Amino acid sequence: MRYEALVLALSVTLCGTSPWHHRGQEVAFPRADPCPPADHIVPCDCWEDESVPGAASMRCENVASAEVLDTVFLQDFPNPNLMSFTVSRSSLGHLHRDIFHGKTFKNIRLTGGGVSSMDTGVLDNSRETLARLFVNDNHLKNFSLQDLHLFPHVDALYLSNNQLLSLDALVGMPEQTTLSAFFVGDNYITALHPDVFKSVPGISALRLENNRLTHLSPKVFYPLYRLETLSLYDNTILQLGTGDLWFSTPILRSLDLRNNGPGLTWEADVFRGVGFDTKVDLGNNRFHKLEYDVFGPLLRNVSTKYGFVNFVGNFLTCDCSVLWLVMDEGLQRHAYSATCKNFTYVDDLDQSTMMQECATGPMVMASDGDF
């Protein structure tokens, strides 16, 4: 017994823990801290990420300049492969190419970090590790979208609330298929090149709201075969033409076109590929005509049980041009939100009265074809 106790005491003294098995399991040696000393990386905090033992995550707030961040990453990190890095409420300004000093990341959030510009290649060390990049709520006028294909695992890119003027850098880029969420709302984008999304066909959530779009190009969204949600609200689109909203995706869930116009006009055959469970929001566009060639096929494809079409805030001219809708009780279920200029709801219009009034004037009855 004395001999065993002596061996155990000597083991603890030399190794810091017992090498003996405890209930069939060997007691692990303490792992090295993956973070530098806390006082060396102020104003940042670092901790071991629970999802990957031995890997660190970092958060920084109120960083006064990029020079401060540069100093933080000059420190010796026992493990230079960080899981996540977050900066908020800061004033970073320009991020030079070597600011991270060889560190790699899986997730980066520079949200409200005061980033005004980024050198090309600033994230090159993370080409094989980066999965999510958030650079929203900053002051970027340009972003190296042309290099997105160099990051084969990125599935989320958030660039909302910056000062971006264009997405044309994506045109002609080698295909990057993993990008799923692409958020570029609240920027200054005025147009979309017809081929802009051909290089990123795997996008499922695309947000372009609150930009300065005045028009779309035919089939611009057609390459997005996995698209589920598309936000285009709060732009200044004045006209939508044939093919502008054609989709190849079979799973489109939401199409948000609110608050465009004023006086948004439509050509025939604008919509194709809108499914039975798609929620289509056309509210507050201040258009006045409800032509069958535009909206008839749309209403026939969208289920009143699983989807809907919202017309609130458009105030329609309820003449013979809406007779096709008044006469179809099935389609009228979609028209509960459609209002005439005199504030009468379209589904409250009297069918027999309208048929009698329109019988004496020119009227072309629409066919029942789908799209």
Side-chain angles (χ1 to χ4, degrees):
M1 180 66 74
R2 289 182 180 178
Y3 174 75
E4 292 178 353
L6 180 61
V7 171
L8 176 60
L10 184 60
S11 170
V12 172
T13 301
L14 294 177
C15 302
T17 187
S18 172
W20 289 13
H21 291 76
H22 177 64
R23 294 183 181 180
Q25 298 293 327
E26 185 173 336
V27 178
F29 289 98
R31 286 194 299 267
D33 191 336
C35 300
D39 59 339
H40 289 189
I41 58 172
V42 175
C44 303
D45 297 314
C46 180
W47 64 92
E48 184 175 9
D49 194 286
E50 294 181 357
S51 62
V52 180
S57 288
M58 287 184 62
R59 179 184 294 111
C60 309
E61 291 188 358
N62 300 313
V63 182
S65 67
E67 286 73 20
V68 174
L69 204 60
D70 186 82
T71 301
V72 166
F73 281 104
L74 271 173
Q75 303 302 316
D76 181 27
F77 284 71
N79 185 350
N81 304 309
L82 281 75
M83 286 297 296
S84 66
F85 173 60
T86 300
V87 176
S88 60
R89 294 184 294 182
S90 298
S91 304
L92 296 181
H94 176 70
L95 302 186
H96 66 79
R97 181 184 177 91
D98 299 317
I99 194 167
F100 296 123
H101 297 285
K103 311 302 185 295
T104 71
F105 309 93
K106 184 175 182 180
N107 301 306
I108 297 178
R109 295 175 180 266
L110 306 177
T111 302
V115 180
S116 60
S117 57
M118 303 171 65
D119 273 348
T120 300
V122 67
L123 300 175
D124 276 1
N125 286 310
S126 298
R127 285 185 180 183
E128 295 300 322
T129 59
L130 192 63
R132 296 196 165 195
L133 177 60
F134 298 75
V135 199
N136 47 302
D137 305 318
N138 286 283
H139 311 294
L140 288 174
K141 294 182 179 178
N142 296 289
F143 184 82
S144 300
L145 288 169
Q146 70 274 7
D147 295 331
L148 185 59
H149 70 284
L150 301 175
F151 298 82
H153 307 295
V154 168
D155 65 11
L157 178 56
Y158 287 34
L159 298 171
S160 300
N161 198 21
N162 280 285
Q163 300 171 24
L164 301 180
L165 300 174
S166 172
L167 303 179
D168 285 0
L170 288 173
V171 178
M173 183 192 79
E175 194 171 88
Q176 204 276 16
T177 59
T178 62
L179 185 64
S180 177
F182 188 36
F183 287 22
V184 284
D186 298 280
N187 279 286
Y188 301 157
I189 300 167
T190 57
L192 298 174
H193 189 283
D195 298 328
V196 67
F197 298 119
K198 287 184 176 180
S199 60
V200 282
I203 292 174
S204 63
L206 176 59
R207 300 197 61 161
L208 287 157
E209 71 275 3
N210 199 24
N211 274 281
R212 298 177 179 180
L213 295 172
T214 59
H215 65 282
L216 300 176
S217 298
K219 302 182 75 171
V220 65
F221 303 114
Y222 204 78
L224 304 177
Y225 64 91
R226 293 175 51 197
L227 189 63
E228 294 187 39
T229 61
L230 173 60
S231 295
L232 288 163
Y233 64 85
D234 286 334
N235 278 280
T236 53
I237 299 172
L238 300 176
Q239 182 178 30
L240 286 168
T242 300
D244 284 356
L245 294 171
W246 286 15
F247 303 100
S248 63
T249 174
I251 52 175
L252 186 66
R253 301 289 182 256
S254 175
L255 172 57
D256 195 339
L257 280 161
R258 289 172 295 148
N259 303 332
N260 277 277
L264 179 62
T265 61
W266 310 78
E267 293 181 2
D269 202 12
V270 171
F271 300 95
R272 285 195 188 183
V274 177
F276 76 102
D277 60 348
T278 306
K279 296 173 175 59
V280 182
D281 199 334
L282 306 176
N284 299 317
N285 284 305
R286 288 180 277 176
F287 60 86
H288 306 304
K289 291 290 186 179
L290 209 62
E291 299 94 339
Y292 177 85
D293 288 345
V294 177
F295 300 105
L298 172 68
L299 298 186
R300 292 191 183 282
N301 267 35
V302 176
S303 164
T304 55
K305 182 177 181 180
Y306 300 104
F308 69 79
V309 180
N310 176 35
F311 290 107
V312 167
N314 290 298
F315 302 106
L316 305 168
T317 301
C318 291
D319 56 13
C320 296
S321 64
V322 299
L323 185 60
W324 65 270
L325 182 57
V326 174
M327 292 182 63
D328 194 317
E329 293 183 2
L331 296 186
Q332 280 187 47
R333 297 192 191 101
H334 283 297
Y336 71 93
S337 63
T339 309
C340 304
K341 289 181 180 179
N342 64 0
F343 302 105
T344 301
Y345 287 102
V346 170
D347 58 357
D348 286 337
L349 295 173
D350 185 74
Q351 181 182 123
S352 59
T353 300
M354 287 199 68
M355 288 184 65
Q356 184 177 0
E357 291 177 351
C358 294
T360 58
M363 181 181 67
V364 177
M365 294 302 297
S367 67
D368 292 336
D370 284 344
F371 52 61

